[in-house]
Short mmCIF file of all heavy atoms in Angstrom, two decimals:
data_model
loop_
_atom_site.label_atom_id
_atom_site.label_comp_id
_atom_site.label_asym_id
_atom_site.label_seq_id
_atom_site.Cartn_x
_atom_site.Cartn_y
_atom_site.Cartn_z
N ARG A 124 0.86 -1.19 0.00
CA ARG A 124 0.00 0.00 0.00
C ARG A 124 0.90 1.24 0.00
O ARG A 124 1.89 1.30 0.72
CB ARG A 124 -0.89 0.00 1.24
CG ARG A 124 -1.82 1.21 1.31
CD ARG A 124 -2.71 1.14 2.56
NE ARG A 124 -1.92 1.08 3.77
CZ ARG A 124 -1.47 2.14 4.45
NH1 ARG A 124 -1.72 3.36 4.01
NH2 ARG A 124 -0.77 1.98 5.55
N TYR A 125 0.53 2.21 -0.81
CA TYR A 125 1.26 3.48 -0.92
C TYR A 125 0.29 4.63 -0.66
O TYR A 125 -0.91 4.48 -0.89
CB TYR A 125 1.87 3.61 -2.31
CG TYR A 125 2.82 2.49 -2.67
CD1 TYR A 125 2.34 1.30 -3.21
CD2 TYR A 125 4.18 2.61 -2.46
CE1 TYR A 125 3.21 0.26 -3.54
CE2 TYR A 125 5.05 1.57 -2.79
CZ TYR A 125 4.56 0.41 -3.32
OH TYR A 125 5.41 -0.62 -3.64
N GLN A 126 0.79 5.76 -0.21
CA GLN A 126 -0.06 6.92 0.07
C GLN A 126 0.39 8.13 -0.73
O GLN A 126 1.58 8.44 -0.80
CB GLN A 126 -0.02 7.27 1.56
CG GLN A 126 -0.59 6.20 2.44
CD GLN A 126 -0.60 6.62 3.90
OE1 GLN A 126 0.25 7.39 4.36
NE2 GLN A 126 -1.57 6.13 4.65
N ILE A 127 -0.60 8.82 -1.32
CA ILE A 127 -0.35 10.07 -2.04
C ILE A 127 -1.07 11.18 -1.27
O ILE A 127 -2.30 11.19 -1.21
CB ILE A 127 -0.90 10.04 -3.48
CG1 ILE A 127 -0.46 8.78 -4.22
CG2 ILE A 127 -0.48 11.30 -4.23
CD1 ILE A 127 -1.18 8.56 -5.54
N PRO A 128 -0.34 12.12 -0.66
CA PRO A 128 -1.01 13.23 0.02
C PRO A 128 -1.78 14.11 -0.97
O PRO A 128 -1.36 14.28 -2.11
CB PRO A 128 0.15 14.02 0.65
CG PRO A 128 1.32 13.09 0.63
CD PRO A 128 1.11 12.16 -0.53
N VAL A 129 -2.90 14.64 -0.53
CA VAL A 129 -3.67 15.60 -1.33
C VAL A 129 -3.07 16.97 -1.02
O VAL A 129 -3.51 17.67 -0.11
CB VAL A 129 -5.18 15.53 -0.99
CG1 VAL A 129 -5.95 16.55 -1.83
CG2 VAL A 129 -5.71 14.13 -1.20
N ASP A 130 -2.02 17.33 -1.76
CA ASP A 130 -1.29 18.56 -1.44
C ASP A 130 -0.80 19.32 -2.68
O ASP A 130 0.07 20.17 -2.58
CB ASP A 130 -0.10 18.25 -0.53
CG ASP A 130 0.93 17.33 -1.18
OD1 ASP A 130 0.76 16.94 -2.35
OD2 ASP A 130 1.92 17.00 -0.50
N ASP A 131 -1.36 19.02 -3.85
CA ASP A 131 -0.99 19.69 -5.10
C ASP A 131 0.49 19.51 -5.47
O ASP A 131 1.04 20.33 -6.20
CB ASP A 131 -1.33 21.19 -5.05
CG ASP A 131 -2.82 21.44 -4.97
OD1 ASP A 131 -3.57 20.68 -5.60
OD2 ASP A 131 -3.22 22.41 -4.30
N GLN A 132 1.13 18.48 -4.96
CA GLN A 132 2.52 18.20 -5.28
C GLN A 132 2.61 16.86 -6.02
O GLN A 132 1.72 16.02 -5.89
CB GLN A 132 3.37 18.11 -3.99
CG GLN A 132 3.34 19.36 -3.15
CD GLN A 132 3.98 20.53 -3.84
OE1 GLN A 132 5.05 20.42 -4.43
NE2 GLN A 132 3.31 21.68 -3.81
N ASN A 133 3.69 16.67 -6.76
CA ASN A 133 3.98 15.39 -7.38
C ASN A 133 4.72 14.51 -6.38
O ASN A 133 5.56 15.01 -5.63
CB ASN A 133 4.83 15.57 -8.64
CG ASN A 133 4.11 16.34 -9.71
OD1 ASN A 133 2.90 16.51 -9.68
ND2 ASN A 133 4.85 16.81 -10.70
N HIS A 134 4.41 13.21 -6.40
CA HIS A 134 5.05 12.27 -5.48
C HIS A 134 5.54 11.07 -6.26
O HIS A 134 4.78 10.48 -7.02
CB HIS A 134 4.06 11.84 -4.38
CG HIS A 134 3.61 12.99 -3.55
ND1 HIS A 134 4.33 13.44 -2.47
CD2 HIS A 134 2.53 13.81 -3.66
CE1 HIS A 134 3.70 14.48 -1.94
NE2 HIS A 134 2.60 14.72 -2.65
N ARG A 135 6.83 10.71 -6.06
CA ARG A 135 7.45 9.60 -6.79
C ARG A 135 7.45 8.34 -5.95
O ARG A 135 7.70 8.38 -4.75
CB ARG A 135 8.88 9.94 -7.18
CG ARG A 135 8.95 10.91 -8.32
CD ARG A 135 10.35 11.08 -8.83
NE ARG A 135 10.31 12.00 -9.96
CZ ARG A 135 11.37 12.33 -10.66
NH1 ARG A 135 12.54 11.83 -10.37
NH2 ARG A 135 11.25 13.17 -11.68
N PHE A 136 7.22 7.22 -6.64
CA PHE A 136 7.20 5.91 -6.00
C PHE A 136 7.92 4.93 -6.91
O PHE A 136 7.81 5.01 -8.13
CB PHE A 136 5.76 5.42 -5.81
CG PHE A 136 4.91 6.35 -5.00
CD1 PHE A 136 4.18 7.37 -5.61
CD2 PHE A 136 4.83 6.22 -3.62
CE1 PHE A 136 3.40 8.23 -4.88
CE2 PHE A 136 4.04 7.08 -2.88
CZ PHE A 136 3.33 8.09 -3.51
N THR A 137 8.62 3.99 -6.32
CA THR A 137 9.17 2.87 -7.07
C THR A 137 8.29 1.68 -6.76
O THR A 137 8.20 1.24 -5.61
CB THR A 137 10.64 2.59 -6.68
OG1 THR A 137 11.40 3.77 -6.93
CG2 THR A 137 11.20 1.45 -7.49
N ILE A 138 7.61 1.18 -7.80
CA ILE A 138 6.67 0.08 -7.63
C ILE A 138 6.94 -1.00 -8.66
O ILE A 138 7.71 -0.78 -9.60
CB ILE A 138 5.20 0.57 -7.74
CG1 ILE A 138 4.90 1.10 -9.14
CG2 ILE A 138 4.89 1.61 -6.67
CD1 ILE A 138 3.44 1.44 -9.39
N GLY A 139 6.28 -2.14 -8.49
CA GLY A 139 6.31 -3.19 -9.50
C GLY A 139 5.09 -3.00 -10.40
O GLY A 139 4.79 -1.89 -10.84
N ARG A 140 4.33 -4.06 -10.62
CA ARG A 140 3.15 -3.99 -11.47
C ARG A 140 2.05 -3.21 -10.76
O ARG A 140 1.81 -3.36 -9.59
CB ARG A 140 2.69 -5.42 -11.75
CG ARG A 140 1.73 -5.57 -12.88
CD ARG A 140 1.53 -7.02 -13.24
NE ARG A 140 1.25 -7.88 -12.09
CZ ARG A 140 0.02 -8.06 -11.58
NH1 ARG A 140 -1.00 -7.44 -12.08
NH2 ARG A 140 -0.14 -8.87 -10.54
N GLY A 141 1.32 -2.37 -11.50
CA GLY A 141 0.21 -1.61 -10.93
C GLY A 141 0.28 -0.16 -11.33
O GLY A 141 1.02 0.18 -12.24
N PRO A 142 -0.48 0.68 -10.66
CA PRO A 142 -1.34 0.47 -9.50
C PRO A 142 -2.52 -0.46 -9.81
O PRO A 142 -3.05 -0.49 -10.91
CB PRO A 142 -1.84 1.86 -9.15
CG PRO A 142 -0.91 2.82 -9.82
CD PRO A 142 -0.38 2.09 -11.03
N LEU A 143 -2.93 -1.19 -8.75
CA LEU A 143 -4.01 -2.15 -8.88
C LEU A 143 -5.35 -1.58 -8.43
O LEU A 143 -6.40 -1.99 -8.94
CB LEU A 143 -3.68 -3.40 -8.06
CG LEU A 143 -2.33 -4.05 -8.36
CD1 LEU A 143 -2.02 -5.12 -7.34
CD2 LEU A 143 -2.33 -4.60 -9.77
N HIS A 144 -5.34 -0.67 -7.46
CA HIS A 144 -6.59 -0.11 -6.91
C HIS A 144 -6.29 1.20 -6.20
O HIS A 144 -5.22 1.36 -5.62
CB HIS A 144 -7.21 -1.11 -5.92
CG HIS A 144 -8.48 -0.63 -5.31
ND1 HIS A 144 -9.66 -0.59 -6.03
CD2 HIS A 144 -8.77 -0.17 -4.07
CE1 HIS A 144 -10.62 -0.12 -5.24
NE2 HIS A 144 -10.10 0.14 -4.05
N PHE A 145 -7.26 2.14 -6.24
CA PHE A 145 -7.17 3.41 -5.53
C PHE A 145 -8.30 3.51 -4.53
O PHE A 145 -9.42 3.04 -4.81
CB PHE A 145 -7.26 4.59 -6.50
CG PHE A 145 -6.05 4.75 -7.38
CD1 PHE A 145 -5.97 4.12 -8.60
CD2 PHE A 145 -4.98 5.52 -6.97
CE1 PHE A 145 -4.87 4.24 -9.42
CE2 PHE A 145 -3.86 5.66 -7.78
CZ PHE A 145 -3.80 5.02 -9.00
N ALA A 146 -8.05 4.13 -3.38
CA ALA A 146 -9.09 4.34 -2.36
C ALA A 146 -8.71 5.57 -1.54
O ALA A 146 -7.59 6.06 -1.59
CB ALA A 146 -9.23 3.12 -1.46
N CYS A 147 -9.70 6.04 -0.77
CA CYS A 147 -9.47 7.18 0.13
C CYS A 147 -10.19 6.86 1.44
O CYS A 147 -11.41 7.02 1.53
CB CYS A 147 -9.99 8.46 -0.51
SG CYS A 147 -9.64 9.94 0.46
N ARG A 148 -9.45 6.37 2.41
CA ARG A 148 -10.07 5.97 3.69
C ARG A 148 -9.93 7.03 4.76
O ARG A 148 -10.56 6.94 5.80
CB ARG A 148 -9.45 4.65 4.16
CG ARG A 148 -9.68 3.52 3.15
CD ARG A 148 -9.15 2.21 3.64
NE ARG A 148 -7.71 2.25 3.81
CZ ARG A 148 -7.00 1.31 4.43
NH1 ARG A 148 -7.59 0.26 4.95
NH2 ARG A 148 -5.69 1.42 4.53
N GLN A 149 -9.09 8.05 4.51
CA GLN A 149 -8.94 9.15 5.46
C GLN A 149 -8.78 10.46 4.69
O GLN A 149 -8.29 10.47 3.57
CB GLN A 149 -7.75 8.91 6.39
CG GLN A 149 -6.42 8.78 5.67
CD GLN A 149 -5.27 8.55 6.62
OE1 GLN A 149 -5.24 9.10 7.71
NE2 GLN A 149 -4.32 7.72 6.22
N ASP A 150 -9.21 11.55 5.30
CA ASP A 150 -9.12 12.85 4.64
C ASP A 150 -7.66 13.19 4.34
O ASP A 150 -6.77 12.95 5.15
CB ASP A 150 -9.73 13.94 5.53
CG ASP A 150 -11.24 13.83 5.61
OD1 ASP A 150 -11.85 13.35 4.63
OD2 ASP A 150 -11.81 14.22 6.66
N GLY A 151 -7.44 13.77 3.17
CA GLY A 151 -6.13 14.29 2.82
C GLY A 151 -5.14 13.28 2.27
O GLY A 151 -3.99 13.63 2.01
N VAL A 152 -5.56 12.02 2.09
CA VAL A 152 -4.65 10.99 1.59
C VAL A 152 -5.38 10.06 0.64
O VAL A 152 -6.44 9.54 0.98
CB VAL A 152 -4.05 10.15 2.75
CG1 VAL A 152 -3.17 9.03 2.21
CG2 VAL A 152 -3.26 11.01 3.70
N VAL A 153 -4.83 9.88 -0.55
CA VAL A 153 -5.33 8.86 -1.48
C VAL A 153 -4.34 7.71 -1.41
O VAL A 153 -3.12 7.91 -1.47
CB VAL A 153 -5.45 9.40 -2.91
CG1 VAL A 153 -5.77 8.28 -3.89
CG2 VAL A 153 -6.51 10.49 -2.98
N GLU A 154 -4.86 6.52 -1.26
CA GLU A 154 -4.01 5.34 -1.18
C GLU A 154 -4.10 4.57 -2.50
O GLU A 154 -5.11 4.65 -3.20
CB GLU A 154 -4.48 4.40 -0.08
CG GLU A 154 -4.46 5.03 1.30
CD GLU A 154 -5.18 4.17 2.30
OE1 GLU A 154 -6.42 4.02 2.18
OE2 GLU A 154 -4.51 3.62 3.19
N PHE A 155 -3.03 3.84 -2.80
CA PHE A 155 -3.11 2.90 -3.91
C PHE A 155 -2.32 1.65 -3.55
O PHE A 155 -1.44 1.68 -2.71
CB PHE A 155 -2.66 3.51 -5.24
CG PHE A 155 -1.18 3.77 -5.37
CD1 PHE A 155 -0.34 2.82 -5.93
CD2 PHE A 155 -0.64 4.98 -4.97
CE1 PHE A 155 1.02 3.07 -6.08
CE2 PHE A 155 0.72 5.24 -5.12
CZ PHE A 155 1.55 4.28 -5.67
N TRP A 156 -2.73 0.57 -4.18
CA TRP A 156 -2.08 -0.72 -3.97
C TRP A 156 -1.40 -1.12 -5.26
O TRP A 156 -1.96 -0.98 -6.35
CB TRP A 156 -3.10 -1.76 -3.54
CG TRP A 156 -3.55 -1.56 -2.12
CD1 TRP A 156 -3.10 -2.25 -1.03
CD2 TRP A 156 -4.50 -0.62 -1.63
NE1 TRP A 156 -3.73 -1.78 0.11
CE2 TRP A 156 -4.61 -0.77 -0.23
CE3 TRP A 156 -5.30 0.36 -2.23
CZ2 TRP A 156 -5.45 -0.02 0.57
CZ3 TRP A 156 -6.14 1.13 -1.43
CH2 TRP A 156 -6.21 0.93 -0.05
N ALA A 157 -0.18 -1.61 -5.14
CA ALA A 157 0.60 -2.05 -6.30
C ALA A 157 1.52 -3.17 -5.86
O ALA A 157 1.83 -3.30 -4.67
CB ALA A 157 1.42 -0.88 -6.86
N CYS A 158 1.97 -3.95 -6.81
CA CYS A 158 2.94 -4.99 -6.50
C CYS A 158 4.26 -4.33 -6.10
O CYS A 158 4.65 -3.30 -6.66
CB CYS A 158 3.14 -5.91 -7.69
SG CYS A 158 1.68 -6.90 -8.04
N ALA A 159 4.91 -4.91 -5.13
CA ALA A 159 6.20 -4.40 -4.68
C ALA A 159 7.23 -4.53 -5.79
O ALA A 159 7.14 -5.45 -6.61
CB ALA A 159 6.65 -5.16 -3.44
N PRO A 160 8.19 -3.62 -5.84
CA PRO A 160 9.24 -3.75 -6.84
C PRO A 160 10.06 -5.02 -6.61
O PRO A 160 10.21 -5.47 -5.48
CB PRO A 160 10.08 -2.49 -6.67
CG PRO A 160 9.74 -1.95 -5.33
CD PRO A 160 8.38 -2.46 -4.98
N THR A 161 10.56 -5.58 -7.69
CA THR A 161 11.42 -6.76 -7.62
C THR A 161 12.65 -6.49 -8.47
O THR A 161 12.78 -5.43 -9.09
CB THR A 161 10.69 -8.00 -8.18
OG1 THR A 161 10.44 -7.79 -9.57
CG2 THR A 161 9.39 -8.27 -7.45
N ASP A 162 13.54 -7.47 -8.51
CA ASP A 162 14.72 -7.33 -9.37
C ASP A 162 14.33 -7.24 -10.85
O ASP A 162 15.03 -6.63 -11.64
CB ASP A 162 15.67 -8.51 -9.17
CG ASP A 162 16.36 -8.45 -7.82
OD1 ASP A 162 16.46 -7.37 -7.22
OD2 ASP A 162 16.82 -9.52 -7.37
N SER A 163 13.22 -7.86 -11.22
CA SER A 163 12.83 -7.85 -12.63
C SER A 163 11.91 -6.70 -13.01
O SER A 163 11.87 -6.30 -14.16
CB SER A 163 12.19 -9.18 -13.02
OG SER A 163 11.03 -9.40 -12.25
N ILE A 164 11.12 -6.18 -12.05
CA ILE A 164 10.22 -5.06 -12.35
C ILE A 164 10.32 -4.03 -11.22
O ILE A 164 9.88 -4.29 -10.09
CB ILE A 164 8.76 -5.50 -12.48
CG1 ILE A 164 8.58 -6.50 -13.61
CG2 ILE A 164 7.86 -4.29 -12.70
CD1 ILE A 164 7.17 -7.03 -13.74
N ALA A 165 10.89 -2.89 -11.51
CA ALA A 165 10.96 -1.77 -10.59
C ALA A 165 10.79 -0.51 -11.41
O ALA A 165 11.69 -0.11 -12.14
CB ALA A 165 12.28 -1.76 -9.82
N LEU A 166 9.61 0.08 -11.34
CA LEU A 166 9.29 1.24 -12.16
C LEU A 166 9.19 2.49 -11.31
O LEU A 166 8.52 2.49 -10.28
CB LEU A 166 7.95 1.00 -12.87
CG LEU A 166 7.86 -0.26 -13.72
CD1 LEU A 166 6.43 -0.51 -14.13
CD2 LEU A 166 8.77 -0.14 -14.91
#
């Protein structure tokens, strides 16, 4: 699970395959789920 703050800024993440799903369970943060980076896939 990764979190993107709602703050008008760009945020970088190193992930594997995905994002798979987006949700917002708390104010001010959008979450997304993605496969963890591996030796073969790290984007």
Side-chain angles (χ1 to χ4, degrees):
R124 180 179 58 88
Y125 302 85
Q126 296 183 330
I127 311 169
V129 179
D130 63 1
D131 295 324
Q132 302 295 314
N133 296 345
H134 298 275
R135 286 188 178 183
F136 302 90
T137 301
I138 64 173
R140 196 170 49 85
L143 306 171
H144 180 73
F145 290 90
C147 184
R148 300 183 297 169
Q149 60 180 323
D150 289 331
V152 176
V153 172
E154 300 169 293
F155 71 93
W156 286 260
C158 292
T161 65
D162 289 338
S163 60
I164 299 176
L166 304 169

